[in-house]
Amino acid sequence: MPLLEVSGLVRRFGGVTAVGGVDLSVEEGRLVSVIGPNGAGKTTLFNLITGLDRPDEGKVSFDGADITGFAPEKLAHLRLARTFQHGRVFANLSVLGNVLVGAHARLRAARPRLPVLGALGELALALIQPGSVRREEAALRAEALAIIARFGERLLPRQDQPAYSLSYANRRRVEIARALALSPRLLLLDEPTAGMNQTETAEMQALIAELKASGLTILLIEHKLDMVMSLSDEVVVMDDGKVIARGLPQAVRHDPAVIEAYLGHREVGGGAAEKALAEAAE
Amino acid sequence: MTSWLDHTINGLIVGNIYALLAVGLALIFGVSRLINFAHGSVYVVGAYIGWVAVAHLHTPLPVTILLVAAGSALLGLLIERFGLRPLQGSTKIAPLLATIGISFVLDQIVQIVFTPDPRALPSQLPDWRFQIGGGTIGALDILIAAIGFTSAVLLFGFLRFTKLGWAVRATAQDRDAARQMGVDVDQVNRIVFAIASALGGLSGLLVGMYYNYIDPAMSFQATLKGVVAEVVGGVGNIPGAIVGSLILGLVESYGIALLGTSYRNLFAFILLVVILVLRPNGLFASKRQLPPEPLTGTFIAPSKPVPLPTPALLAALAVAAVLPLVIAQPYLLQTLTNAWLYALLGISLTLIAGTVGQISLGHAALLAIGGYTSALLTLDLGVPVGLSILAAGFVAAGLGTLLAWPAFRLRGHYVTIATLAIGEIVSLAILNWESLTRGPIGVFGIPPISLFGYPIESARAVYWFTLAILAVLAALQLRLLRSHLGRAWRAVRDDDVAARSYGIALDRYKALAFITGGFAAGISGGVTSHLYSFINHETFNAQLSILALTIVILGGMGNVFGAIVGSVLLIGLPEVFRVAAEYRVLIYGLVLLLLIRFRPQGLFGTV
């Protein structure tokens, strides 16, 4: 049974169908990429899966359970983590603070599981700070530091700096660190290398490969095709809200519909997509 | 049946007056995404220009109207040029706060120049009425309808058929794109402020003539009514604002017919809250819209807080504690006691507005709930004073959270409007619920503070009592801020969408903030009621909410120590220098304006 299964997902904005009947499934431990030209509906698809937007039709299942239309905070408790296309970090929180917020849904001692009274209990526990709460906080802090350490010199020296002071690329890294702090069962990455130069992209690619090797299930949106081709177990190509091709990377890159979709944008993209496809095919 | 037709006509006429206000607000929101809280002040200035023209210059009506429109338009231009243009590119909340500051300053200037006493504004029209159906219509009714209709037609023609009107519409749709296409958006802003202010001033003139009554305090109510009408019709929607105004006028008119005049505003604010909760985009908005853009880093100025090590805080506390041994004058101690009570309000609001980013303008309501709870518990149920103050904290925490609940699902400026309305609803409920609150008379003879039978009455004892409460609650708040709750609250403030994606349920954490903040404010209100021995529905008014916000901004958003220092500066200094009350409010307004312009992060920075 796939970990994530999306079937017949539709989302319309006024007269525009942003996502028009998309099916998708991700098996546990695999990395599936969604590619496609700008405006193909990739981010809308992500928003529908992660509860930021509700689909007009269709179904999303996670680990066999129907999660269609679930609120994002509920999905976080199922340990489904995402990053955002334009990097949404908590500007006034430190790097460490940002990563610790990622672990919020994993708090057990600090958040008693009771209806209504749970919230008051949470307040009381935060005031009293009993040993269990302090130990949990210390453990999460150590874990968060370990996650930050994975980004080496990029983040480690900046762990106490507020996120607004970071470079764009570093904010993207903080986002991924925050997502990892949830210890996700499924990680959705929305263009993790947007705005990064070649070296930074290579670093990010190595990190994602490492995450995949550790057994993490990943759904990736990415424009950099050579990265997609080398990382993915399966590639899903979207255009105009629909899936136009899917399969192994090497099969997809020769698919006439895919080439058509990318070449159709040649005038706009100055042939960059065509070139990228050709390079990736080599 | 007669009276119903009269009420309908009356509702439509009043609605027409609101429309002149609301259309201006909608125009301004359209081009600058700003809810202009200074609009009511322009309306008051318009009314007073009219009064000067009628009473001193004896101008004929058309000249009066022209003078009012021109004078108000000029004021609008000045507000735009000196109040708002310098804030371009600053945080989103800055212009809104600036208009609040401007409104304080303008209202106080009007009050200083013309005294706070009400004046008559004769209508200059023949005093005849004629019958239609079962109702009557007077000359002034017709004039108001004519001005409303003419303004709407002229505005429509301007927006539809002139090049400048096109520029206004283009700017409203996409400011950046309009600028790239060569539209002078600064000029568009000027034009819009001039038109909106001219309409607002005319509205003030007509209201003054309609009721034959003007006073400087009508400003705040006018802003609120305009905002209600605008929200009902959909913020920024001009035809919507007109329809919303007529609906508001009718609802009020029928409400008064059913229940009496003192309920008038209650209807307006309940209508506002209901609309905000059920249809935040107004009655006429299309159904489901794209999720709004993040407010990340744009809503509250990012800044590094000034580091305040614990030993320094303890030293400051020690100095405050030994002060009564050094200072002999009870007057000075009373002033500082007052500052500690405001600081309790300050740490409460700095949590909700600063840490969680919910800019509340109804915070005085929490004081009122606390004050009435403690006063009524001691007087009506014989609860001992110490216990009643504690109960005031809990009741304000609980009731305040429930009342603020409708605002939890709102964001940004809408939170500010909703909390303002909720605050007014509390004050009106106190006024009208006579069996519980003794209505407009207020509560007399509230016993002085005592603890376990020991009276706390000397200036020194009261000083230590309030300082101790403040120290304990501030320490607890700092403790919470260092826990995971502090993190979650600040995450909600910085980006609520990302916060939700990481498991932070917004309602739950906003409620926890209101419970914590409501407790401190309730205690402050409770202590205050025993110190004053008399409170009524105006003791804790909306000006206090704005003063609290000024304290919070002065100290730095979310900064506990900053809120305390801010309160000492804003409450203590004017008292020490014995500044007259009317100049004090003027100073608060100016301080707010200068802070927003030159030091938006406050003295100690955002935490």
Side-chain angles (χ1 to χ4, degrees):
Chain A
M1 182 182 59
L3 184 63
L4 176 77
E5 188 151 32
V6 171
S7 52
L9 218 52
V10 175
R11 177 70 169 110
R12 302 181 195 91
F13 296 112
V16 184
T17 305
V19 172
V22 168
D23 300 308
L24 186 80
S25 71
V26 185
E27 300 281 341
E28 191 125 28
R30 309 247 293 174
L31 191 151
V32 176
S33 294
V34 182
I35 64 169
N38 286 324
K42 306 184 294 293
T43 294
T44 305
L45 176 68
F46 257 40
N47 286 345
L48 293 175
I49 295 172
T50 54
L52 290 186
D53 197 1
R54 275 194 319 259
D56 293 312
E57 289 165 35
K59 194 177 150 188
V60 184
S61 310
F62 182 66
D63 201 14
D66 185 358
I67 57 161
T68 319
F70 270 32
E73 54 266 31
K74 215 167 161 183
L75 294 174
H77 287 101
L78 298 174
R79 290 200 281 129
L80 194 141
R82 73 166 290 176
T83 65
F84 294 87
Q85 190 177 5
H86 300 295
R88 302 179 79 150
V89 291
F90 304 115
N92 285 288
L93 286 180
S94 66
V95 169
L96 181 59
N98 267 281
V99 178
L100 279 169
V101 171
H104 183 87
R106 290 171 57 211
L107 292 168
R108 287 287 170 274
R111 291 167 38 91
R113 293 281 180 283
L114 291 165
V116 187
L117 284 181
L120 294 175
E122 187 176 345
L123 184 61
L125 286 173
L127 279 175
I128 301 164
Q129 297 276 331
S132 59
V133 170
R134 283 206 308 271
R135 279 191 298 278
E136 180 179 58
E137 180 76 12
L140 285 179
R141 200 165 276 264
E143 196 183 317
L145 284 175
I147 291 170
I148 292 172
R150 294 181 83 151
F151 294 84
E153 285 306 298
R154 300 284 191 188
L155 292 187
L156 209 48
R158 299 183 173 86
Q159 53 172 293
D160 292 322
Q161 286 183 16
Y164 72 79
S165 68
L166 299 178
S167 70
Y168 186 73
N170 268 338
R171 288 184 206 189
R172 310 305 312 271
R173 294 188 185 102
V174 169
E175 264 215 292
I176 291 172
R178 182 175 67 187
L180 293 178
L182 182 58
S183 72
R185 299 189 59 197
L186 174 65
L187 176 62
L188 293 94
L189 298 171
D190 195 348
E191 288 195 44
T193 67
M196 288 190 176
N197 65 27
Q198 274 188 340
T199 329
E200 291 169 332
T201 303
E203 267 177 51
M204 185 55 74
Q205 184 171 338
L207 177 75
I208 295 173
E210 205 181 299
L211 293 175
K212 185 191 168 193
S214 72
L216 188 58
T217 315
I218 298 173
L219 186 61
L220 171 74
I221 293 180
E222 186 50 72
H223 272 302
K224 290 176 181 155
L225 289 172
D226 41 357
M227 175 165 157
V228 168
M229 295 303 166
S230 78
L231 285 173
S232 311
D233 296 309
E234 188 191 348
V235 177
V236 175
V237 189
M238 281 182 75
D239 189 25
D240 220 5
K242 290 196 169 55
V243 174
I244 55 166
R246 69 175 81 220
L248 296 173
Q250 54 269 46
V252 165
R253 75 168 68 122
H254 297 300
D255 190 310
V258 177
I259 294 165
E260 162 70 27
Y262 272 89
L263 296 191
H265 296 267
R266 183 194 206 161
E267 296 82 355
V268 186
E274 183 191 9
K275 193 160 147 265
L277 265 180
E279 274 172 12
E282 276 159 20
Chain B
M1 285 313 288
T2 308
S3 61
W4 283 110
L5 189 59
D6 265 336
H7 290 307
T8 307
I9 293 171
N10 178 270
L12 289 175
I13 296 300
V14 173
N16 227 312
I17 295 174
Y18 292 158
L20 288 175
L21 278 170
V23 163
L25 284 170
L27 269 172
I28 290 174
F29 187 89
V31 297
S32 48
R33 298 286 174 269
L34 164 72
I35 290 165
N36 179 15
F37 274 87
H39 212 58
S41 305
V42 176
Y43 158 103
V44 164
V45 171
Y48 274 87
I49 294 175
W51 179 81
V52 170
V54 172
H56 289 286
L57 308 175
H58 307 290
T59 51
L61 184 62
V63 178
T64 310
I65 289 176
L66 275 179
L67 275 178
V68 168
S72 310
L74 182 66
L75 179 63
L77 287 175
L78 291 175
I79 291 175
E80 194 276 333
R81 178 65 191 83
F82 296 105
L84 300 173
R85 184 116 43 97
L87 296 177
Q88 273 180 12
S90 59
T91 56
K92 278 191 186 174
I93 198 71
L96 182 133
L97 295 174
T99 61
I100 293 174
I102 291 167
S103 140
F104 257 53
V105 171
L106 286 178
D107 290 355
Q108 282 312 308
I109 291 176
V110 170
Q111 197 163 328
I112 290 165
V113 173
F114 292 98
T115 77
D117 304 324
R119 282 162 204 278
L121 181 57
S123 89
Q124 292 185 301
L125 280 172
D127 198 16
W128 48 258
R129 305 187 71 83
F130 64 86
Q131 300 273 330
I132 53 153
T136 67
I137 289 187
L140 186 59
D141 297 337
I142 294 175
L143 175 71
I144 291 173
I147 288 184
F149 185 74
T150 314
S151 317
V153 169
L154 284 178
L155 193 61
F156 177 82
F158 166 71
L159 290 176
R160 193 100 221 163
F161 302 114
T162 68
K163 207 171 168 192
L164 205 51
W166 279 52
V168 170
R169 285 162 59 209
T171 310
Q173 280 182 19
D174 190 331
R175 198 183 178 84
D176 293 332
R179 184 184 278 132
Q180 287 196 337
M181 298 313 292
V183 173
D184 182 351
V185 290
D186 283 340
Q187 189 199 19
V188 165
N189 255 8
R190 278 196 295 276
I191 295 286
V192 160
F193 264 88
I195 294 176
S197 302
L199 293 175
L202 274 183
S203 176
L205 173 71
L206 294 176
V207 168
M209 289 184 170
Y210 192 68
Y211 295 110
N212 193 15
Y213 175 99
I214 57 172
D215 77 55
M218 15 183 247
S219 150
F220 186 60
Q221 293 297 332
T223 304
L224 287 179
K225 291 301 169 57
V227 169
V228 176
E230 196 199 0
V231 171
V232 171
V235 177
N237 178 346
I238 294 171
I242 296 175
V243 178
S245 303
L246 296 178
I247 291 175
L248 177 63
L250 287 173
V251 165
E252 279 189 11
S253 185
Y254 292 144
I256 292 168
L258 285 173
L259 291 164
T261 321
S262 60
Y263 286 87
R264 161 180 235 129
N265 295 334
L266 200 53
F267 281 103
F269 298 131
I270 289 176
L271 180 68
L272 175 69
V273 175
V274 168
I275 293 277
L276 280 178
V277 169
L278 298 182
R279 296 193 65 96
N281 294 320
L283 288 177
F284 313 107
S286 56
K287 43 171 197 169
R288 206 138 59 91
Q289 308 229 322
L290 277 167
E293 277 295 296
L295 297 170
T296 303
T298 57
F299 206 62
I300 294 218
S303 76
K304 266 213 163 85
V306 175
L308 296 163
T310 314
L313 294 181
L314 290 176
L317 177 62
V319 169
V322 298
L323 222 48
L325 304 175
V326 186
I327 295 173
Q329 307 103 305
Y331 172 73
L332 214 54
L333 288 184
Q334 279 158 9
T335 301
L336 280 172
T337 302
N338 215 5
W340 303 145
L341 289 171
Y342 275 96
L344 277 173
L345 178 66
I347 63 169
S348 163
L349 185 60
T350 211
L351 175 69
I352 287 162
T355 308
V356 195
Q358 309 300 302
I359 310 280
S360 157
L361 270 187
H363 227 64
L366 294 170
L367 289 180
I369 293 172
Y372 270 87
T373 303
S374 193
L376 295 175
L377 280 178
T378 49
L379 285 173
D380 291 354
L381 298 179
V383 176
V385 172
L387 201 60
S388 72
I389 291 175
L390 195 62
F394 282 111
V395 172
L399 199 55
T401 307
L402 286 180
L403 285 167
W405 201 279
F408 287 178
R409 60 158 66 187
L410 304 173
R411 321 172 85 210
H413 291 186
Y414 290 92
V415 176
T416 311
I417 302 174
T419 48
L420 183 62
I422 293 165
E424 290 299 295
I425 289 172
V426 168
S427 153
L428 289 165
I430 289 172
L431 179 64
N432 286 296
W433 194 351
E434 291 196 20
S435 59
L436 180 73
T437 64
R438 300 165 201 189
I441 306 161
V443 184
F444 286 95
I446 305 167
I449 302 168
S450 63
L451 215 52
F452 310 113
Y454 296 101
I456 298 182
E457 286 179 58
S458 75
R460 261 185 199 171
V462 175
Y463 176 95
W464 277 320
F465 179 68
T466 48
L467 179 64
I469 294 176
L470 174 64
V472 169
L473 290 182
L476 289 180
Q477 187 162 322
L478 286 172
R479 197 175 167 84
L480 286 182
L481 290 178
R482 276 194 295 267
S483 76
H484 79 282
L485 271 181
R487 223 156 50 212
W489 281 333
R490 295 163 71 204
V492 170
R493 168 190 71 194
D494 283 354
D495 190 332
D496 53 358
V497 171
R500 287 184 75 192
S501 290
Y502 284 92
I504 296 172
L506 299 183
D507 280 0
R508 179 184 178 120
Y509 289 94
K510 287 179 185 174
L512 288 180
F514 269 86
I515 288 172
T516 312
F519 186 77
I523 297 268
S524 173
V527 174
T528 305
S529 74
H530 294 281
L531 291 182
Y532 287 6
S533 88
F534 163 73
I535 53 171
N536 71 0
H537 69 284
E538 281 173 341
T539 310
F540 309 106
N541 58 16
Q543 270 194 357
L544 213 59
S545 300
I546 296 170
L547 172 57
L549 197 57
T550 312
I551 289 174
V552 166
I553 296 169
L554 177 60
M557 297 294 248
N559 198 316
V560 173
F561 184 70
I564 297 172
V565 173
S567 154
V568 170
L569 291 178
L570 285 183
I571 305 302
L573 285 187
E575 196 73 47
V576 171
F577 292 109
R578 315 232 170 191
V579 181
E582 64 259 38
Y583 288 101
R584 220 170 270 186
V585 180
L586 191 62
I587 290 172
Y588 295 151
L590 287 172
V591 167
L592 186 58
L593 278 177
L594 292 174
L595 273 175
I596 294 161
R597 175 76 178 85
F598 296 107
R599 200 168 164 86
Q601 75 275 35
L603 294 176
F604 297 95
T606 306
V607 176

